[in-house]
């Protein structure tokens, strides 16, 4: 795997999309800081802690059937990597990783299209590895970092190595077979199942109260509305 290391960049995802055609499949872009870090739903991802991970992986698989499942796959990969530090992370649908109910990692998947056809993906991941408490307080949601959770400074290079190794364990399998490859790993870490949660839909401030019943074989959320009606949810954000 080729790793392109940048001191600072607007966003590793933007960089990867701009250079998509000249980048090889499975290239990784890793920056020490980002000036325009992007989150899901056009949110800002504050990216000035040089000891955190700001990483984008370029993926151009031949088989595209299960490409949409790679975001949740990466979420499991991050959770498993964090577990190697003796911490028990939780997964919040669709692809947030939390520890102690606070966000430690965010994933942003963007697709590269040519003539309206998907050519591949850029999977971006931001992981709070080493942060002072005061930097966490300016984040607009409960957030934590691995150094806070473990009480130890985290070696960024070691973490990155473990993360990329874990990524390849089931990557080909996931490309071939989709969400079912890692469904158990996902569900075993899910912190929202069997609970009443709020779902915030893209670009809407309305929050819908739902019972989070299950995850289907495509990684969608199966929820029960207040009316008792069952509903399959493809995207959104869960608020616990
Ligand atoms: C979210 O939870 O909203 C997703 C955050 C994703 C942040 C990462 S950091 C590396 C990559 N580059 C970006 O601009 N965003 C992603």
């Amino acid at each position: 795997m080729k790793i392109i290391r940048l001191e600072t960049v607007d966003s590793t995802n933007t960089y990867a999309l701009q250079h998509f055609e000249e980048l090889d499949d499975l290239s990784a872009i890793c920056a020490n800081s980002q000036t325009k870090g992007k989150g899901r739903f056009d949110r800002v991802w504050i990216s000035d802690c040089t000891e955190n991970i700001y990483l984008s992986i370029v993926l151009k698989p031949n088989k595209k059937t299960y490409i949409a499942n790679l975001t949740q796959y990466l979420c499991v990969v991050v959770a498993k990597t964090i577990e190697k530090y003796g911490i028990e992370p939780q997964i919040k649908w669709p692809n947030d990783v939390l520890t102690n109910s606070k966000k430690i990692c965010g994933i942003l998947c963007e697709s590269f299209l040519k003539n309206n056809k998907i050519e591949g993906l850029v999977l971006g991941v931001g992981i709070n590895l080493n942060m002072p408490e005061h930097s966490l307080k300016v984040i607009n949601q409960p957030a934590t970092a691995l150094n806070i959770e473990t009480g130890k400074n985290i070696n960024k290079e070691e973490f990155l190595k473990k993360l990329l190794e874990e990524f390849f364990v089931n990557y080909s399998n996931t490309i071939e077979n989709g969400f079912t490859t890692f469904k158990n790993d996902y569900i075993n870490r899910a912190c929202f199942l069997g609970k009443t949660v709020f779902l915030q839909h893209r670009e809407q401030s309305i929050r819908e109260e739902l019972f989070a019943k299950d995850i289907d074989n495509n990684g969608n959320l199966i929820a029960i509305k207040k009316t008792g009606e069952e509903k399959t949810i493809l995207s959104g954000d869960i608020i616990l």
Side-chain angles (χ1 to χ4, degrees):
M1 171 179 236
K2 189 175 172 193
I3 305 180
I4 297 169
R5 290 172 191 276
L6 305 169
E7 190 45 49
T8 189
V9 67
D10 49 359
S11 147
T12 53
N13 265 36
T14 306
Y15 180 98
L17 287 169
Q18 280 167 349
H19 297 87
F20 191 85
E21 285 177 291
E22 73 238 36
L23 288 167
D24 291 336
D25 182 24
L26 301 171
S27 301
I29 322 296
C30 189
N32 279 341
S33 65
Q34 304 183 115
T35 52
K36 278 192 185 155
K38 301 184 284 187
R40 291 173 68 227
F41 305 138
D42 293 327
R43 292 181 202 128
V44 171
W45 186 260
I46 303 170
S47 309
D48 51 6
C49 270
T50 54
E51 285 297 300
N52 283 349
I53 284 188
Y54 310 110
L55 173 76
S56 297
I57 307 173
V58 173
L59 300 170
K60 307 180 177 185
N62 291 330
K63 182 170 172 177
K64 308 276 194 296
T65 323
Y66 300 115
I67 208 163
N69 297 121
L70 291 171
T71 319
Q72 282 166 308
Y73 173 65
L74 180 57
C75 172
V76 168
V77 166
V78 172
K80 286 186 172 182
T81 309
I82 289 176
E83 282 160 13
K84 294 183 178 146
Y85 291 79
I87 300 294
E88 273 185 32
Q90 306 94 43
I91 291 175
K92 183 164 78 72
W93 187 86
N95 48 254
D96 279 342
V97 182
L98 315 178
T99 64
N100 274 327
S101 310
K102 295 177 202 154
K103 185 152 163 164
I104 196 163
C105 159
I107 296 172
L108 174 69
C109 175
E110 295 184 273
S111 32
F112 184 87
L113 304 173
K114 202 173 176 184
N115 305 324
N116 278 331
K117 242 186 91 214
I118 186 155
E119 295 264 305
L121 292 184
V122 171
L123 263 189
V125 57
I127 310 170
N128 299 341
L129 278 196
N130 295 294
M131 289 178 85
E133 297 261 12
H134 66 84
S135 301
L136 288 164
K137 291 205 177 97
V138 299
I139 299 174
N140 60 357
Q141 60 180 310
T144 189
L146 197 51
N147 66 316
I148 308 277
E149 299 301 318
T150 58
K152 288 183 197 138
N153 200 54
I154 307 299
N155 183 309
K156 181 166 147 177
E157 280 311 306
E158 262 174 33
F159 187 96
L160 189 63
K161 191 166 172 268
K162 289 189 207 300
L163 179 79
L164 294 174
E165 272 170 14
E166 187 61 51
F167 184 80
F168 287 108
V169 173
N170 272 317
Y171 175 67
S172 311
N173 239 331
T174 301
I175 290 296
E176 279 307 312
N177 304 304
F179 187 74
T180 51
T181 309
F182 59 91
K183 184 177 179 182
N184 285 343
D185 287 337
Y186 186 92
I187 284 185
N188 288 341
R189 292 166 177 84
C191 61
F192 53 91
L193 287 177
K195 288 187 185 158
T196 297
V197 300
F198 291 92
L199 186 84
Q200 189 158 348
H201 297 280
R202 179 184 255 283
E203 287 139 22
Q204 285 177 15
S205 52
I206 312 154
R207 292 174 176 187
E208 189 182 0
E209 196 179 316
L210 296 165
F211 179 77
K213 185 182 165 200
D214 206 356
I215 295 289
D216 71 12
N217 282 347
N218 299 314
N220 301 318
L221 175 66
I222 303 172
I224 301 174
K225 290 168 53 160
K226 277 188 124 178
T227 55
E229 188 194 331
E230 195 170 288
K231 179 174 171 183
T232 301
I233 297 160
L234 310 185
S235 84
D237 245 350
I238 280 185
I239 296 142
L240 292 166

